């Protein structure tokens, strides 16, 4: 840290294991006058743990513009500020990007520190061999926009990386299987760096059954990684399943029966086909 030049330091914090804080991150938290935190109550014990006496100011998604002005005022007064989120890297599916943009526009230095990020941590243990990955973050919560989002990703030959909340995990894997294809590999990375860390790989079409076989498997925090679309533009059984489904619906079959038949023909998950059939009927 350069003492005499005030800067905004972007500081990643642990996903669960306090030992994952880098030495540089600890040094910065100890040296800055202020820490801008997504949740000050959440970050206060963390600062105490690492021996930081910095004062806290709130910088969450609902006050980011006002927080940016506060941070710029501190920097103008010659004080450095660290930006932290609840866990992992700020501005990665977390608030922080707008604040960083304002600070840079005001002419101050922004110094990023490398550190914990759930997406990269999961990717490193996924075993997915694609040369490229696409970090998507959270899919839309509602079924229709989620399916539209997945359709836009279906042909990409990149590993896809999603964040997901436990209460949506089942419907998400169903949608992934239905639209991306039951044969593509899914890696479920759950509770990374924590006591119940689990990394499980299976074909997308088997994920729902694996998750429901034990309720504990649906608990905690999740990164979902899906292997890229097979070469040659064919998006696997997802593409094929949807084509068959469309044909059956065009022939006038009821949604339930069409989903059941697609399941028998391509092996695609029945629930996912049912959801997809409903949304195709509506459109
Ligand atoms: N900024 C964070 C980062 O760098 O990873 C992500 C914040 S986002 C609001 C929270 C999501 O990250 C969770 O819903 C989950 O999908 C993922 N996540 C965070 N911690 C995790 C962990 N220990 N194991 C698995 N996923 C995690």
């Amino acid at each position: 840290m350069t003492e005499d030049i005030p800067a905004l330091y972007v500081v990643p914090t642990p996903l669960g294991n306090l030992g994952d804080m880098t030495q540089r991150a600890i040094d910065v938290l100890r040296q800055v006058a202020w820490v801008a935190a997504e949740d000050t109550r959440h970050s206060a014990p963390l600062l105490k743990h690492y021996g930081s006496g910095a004062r806290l100011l709130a910088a969450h998604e609902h006050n980011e513009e006002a927080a940016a002005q506060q941070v710029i005022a501190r920097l103008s007064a010659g004080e450095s500020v660290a930006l932290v989120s609840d866990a992992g890297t700020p501005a990665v599916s977390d608030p922080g990007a707008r604040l960083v943009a304002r600070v840079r526009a005001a002419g101050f230095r922004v110094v990023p520190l490398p550190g914990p990020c759930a997406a990269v941590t999961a990717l490193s243990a996924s075993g997915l061999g694609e040369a490229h990955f696409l970090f998507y973050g959270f899919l839309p919560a509602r079924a229709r926009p989620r399916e539209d989002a997945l359709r836009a990703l279906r042909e990409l030959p990149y590993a896809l990386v999603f964040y997901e909340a436990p209460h949506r995990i089942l419907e998400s894997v169903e949608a992934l299987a239905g639209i991306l294809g039951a044969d593509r590999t899914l890696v479920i990375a759950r509770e990374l760096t924590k006591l119940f860390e689990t990394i499980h790989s299976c074909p997308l079409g088997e994920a729902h059954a694996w998750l429901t076989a034990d309720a504990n498997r649906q608990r905690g925090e999740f990164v979902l990684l899906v292997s890229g679309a097979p070469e040659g533009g064919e998006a696997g059984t997802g593409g094929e399943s949807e084509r068959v489904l469309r044909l059956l619906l065009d022939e006038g079959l009821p949604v339930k029966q069409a989903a059941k038949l697609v399941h028998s023909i391509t092996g695609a998950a029945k629930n996912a086909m049912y959801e997809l059939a409903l949304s195709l009927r509506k459109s």
Side-chain angles (χ1 to χ4, degrees):
M1 199 173 141
T2 319
E3 288 295 329
D4 46 343
I5 307 173
L8 174 69
Y9 292 85
V10 183
V11 180
T13 53
L15 301 172
N17 185 326
L18 291 175
D20 289 336
M21 194 77 167
T22 67
Q23 188 57 54
R24 186 170 169 221
I26 295 171
D27 291 344
V28 165
L29 290 186
R30 285 181 181 161
Q31 287 167 28
V32 291
W34 291 88
V35 171
E38 181 183 6
D39 180 343
T40 53
R41 279 175 309 178
H42 177 93
S43 295
L46 202 77
L47 295 194
K48 195 164 172 232
H49 178 83
Y50 294 118
S52 165
R55 294 169 70 185
L56 278 157
L57 65 89
H60 46 77
E61 60 174 324
H62 304 296
N63 80 338
E64 230 181 316
E65 292 293 343
Q69 296 317 314
Q70 271 184 285
V71 169
I72 289 167
R74 300 313 348 145
L75 295 168
S76 304
E79 294 175 319
S80 282
V81 182
L83 173 66
V84 299
S85 59
D86 285 355
T89 302
V92 176
S93 294
D94 260 343
R98 266 186 295 163
L99 191 150
V100 162
R102 297 292 175 272
V103 167
R104 287 184 43 200
F108 291 100
R109 278 202 327 149
V110 174
V111 182
L113 272 62
C117 174
V120 176
T121 306
L123 193 68
S124 72
S126 69
L128 294 177
E130 281 83 347
H132 310 283
F133 71 92
L134 184 143
F135 171 66
Y136 193 88
F138 290 99
L139 283 162
R142 287 183 304 118
R144 185 75 189 280
R146 183 170 55 218
E147 285 157 11
D148 291 344
L150 288 173
R151 259 183 226 114
L153 300 173
R154 188 167 59 189
E155 310 293 335
L156 298 175
Y158 316 134
L160 304 172
V161 185
F162 303 97
Y163 284 165
E164 197 45 280
H167 60 281
R168 276 201 284 272
I169 191 72
L170 289 176
E171 52 185 288
S172 273
V173 297
E174 283 291 87
L176 289 167
I179 294 177
L180 300 183
D183 290 343
R184 281 164 77 164
T185 300
L186 173 70
V187 181
I188 300 174
R190 171 179 162 260
E191 290 292 86
L192 292 167
T193 78
K194 302 185 197 177
L195 186 60
F196 296 110
E197 179 177 272
T198 312
I199 299 169
H200 176 77
S201 309
C202 63
L204 257 174
E206 292 172 17
H208 190 276
W210 184 81
L211 285 164
T212 47
D214 176 351
N216 286 322
R217 293 177 180 168
Q218 299 156 44
R219 299 211 169 99
E221 301 196 89
F222 291 89
V223 182
L224 300 175
L225 307 98
V226 183
S227 59
E231 288 294 324
E234 170 56 63
T237 47
E240 188 193 327
S241 301
E242 186 174 328
R243 268 197 302 279
V244 176
L245 187 63
R246 281 178 188 276
L247 277 172
L248 295 174
L249 292 174
D250 286 349
E251 288 300 313
L253 260 75
V255 162
K256 200 169 171 190
Q257 198 184 345
K260 204 172 153 198
L261 271 172
V262 176
H263 169 69
S264 310
I265 297 166
T266 70
K270 224 182 291 173
N271 288 353
M273 287 301 104
Y274 182 72
E275 274 197 32
L276 183 58
L278 282 179
S279 84
L280 290 173
R281 262 283 143 86
K282 267 185 230 145
S283 59

